[in-house]
Amino acid sequence: TWLPTYLLFAWHRFSSANPGLTLSRWSMRIVLIGVPASIIGAESANTERRNSLIRRFEFASIAICMLSVICANASFPLAILALFAYSAAVAADSGALTAGTVAVARPDEHGMTLGIYSLLGFIGGAAGPLAVGALLDLGGGFGSTYAWYLGFAAMGAGSVLAAIAISFV
């Protein structure tokens, strides 16, 4: 949700020029990397060591999330690379979690299990952008590096919760 706004922040760290359609094009490319990453994550989660793999995906997402906000202070191209990695990591862990949910659901309850899983995901998808927006405001607004650290911490919180939850399965 915050990708175009964050790209604008990263752009203006190093340029005062109008980005035109550059940020929209980068946003599209970054989001599209998630499609194959999600499939790869789902396929790789169909192994004996699913929980360990999912936990590694979650930790990778957390680390790359924090790296993404740091990279915006280094250069715009580095921020782009980090955001590609973050998009892929988040999509891979999402695909792995979904495949893992299907794998552990009782055969006669696949539909209900996925329904509850989707409901929880949509609640997070609705609450997450509100939390990020509130933290951006509390941290000084869109132009503040500190605000983006807070915002990315909120974005990474979902991966932290998933890493904790998978430890109990």
Side-chain angles (χ1 to χ4, degrees):
T1 305
W2 289 101
L3 180 59
T5 307
Y6 183 67
L7 285 173
L8 185 64
F9 165 76
W11 176 271
H12 283 300
R13 303 284 297 156
F14 303 98
S15 175
S16 59
N18 183 337
L21 294 175
T22 301
L23 304 182
S24 297
R25 290 179 178 142
W26 278 118
S27 293
M28 176 195 65
R29 292 176 186 127
I30 290 167
V31 169
L32 286 177
I33 195 72
V35 175
S38 180
I39 294 167
I40 291 167
E43 289 298 320
S44 62
N46 288 322
T47 67
E48 310 274 324
R49 300 176 44 169
R50 178 184 309 109
N51 289 3
S52 174
L53 178 77
I54 291 172
R55 196 174 302 107
R56 276 188 249 138
F57 278 150
E58 298 305 336
F59 287 132
S61 291
I62 295 163
I64 297 169
C65 177
M66 292 297 104
L67 181 65
S68 295
V69 73
I70 293 167
C71 287
N73 291 304
S75 74
F76 185 74
L78 199 55
I80 292 290
L81 288 174
L83 290 168
F84 268 110
Y86 184 48
S87 180
V90 168
D93 79 35
S94 176
L97 285 169
T98 302
T101 300
V102 171
V104 299
R106 290 188 281 218
D108 60 332
E109 295 179 353
H110 278 139
M112 184 58 75
T113 301
L114 284 176
I116 292 170
Y117 173 79
S118 293
L119 177 65
L120 292 173
F122 286 123
I123 290 170
L130 295 173
V132 172
L135 288 169
L136 286 173
D137 288 344
L138 286 172
F142 297 129
S144 165
T145 301
Y146 176 69
W148 283 107
Y149 276 110
L150 294 176
F152 270 79
M155 291 178 214
S159 295
V160 170
L161 292 174
I164 292 168
I166 200 70
S167 298
F168 292 102
V169 176

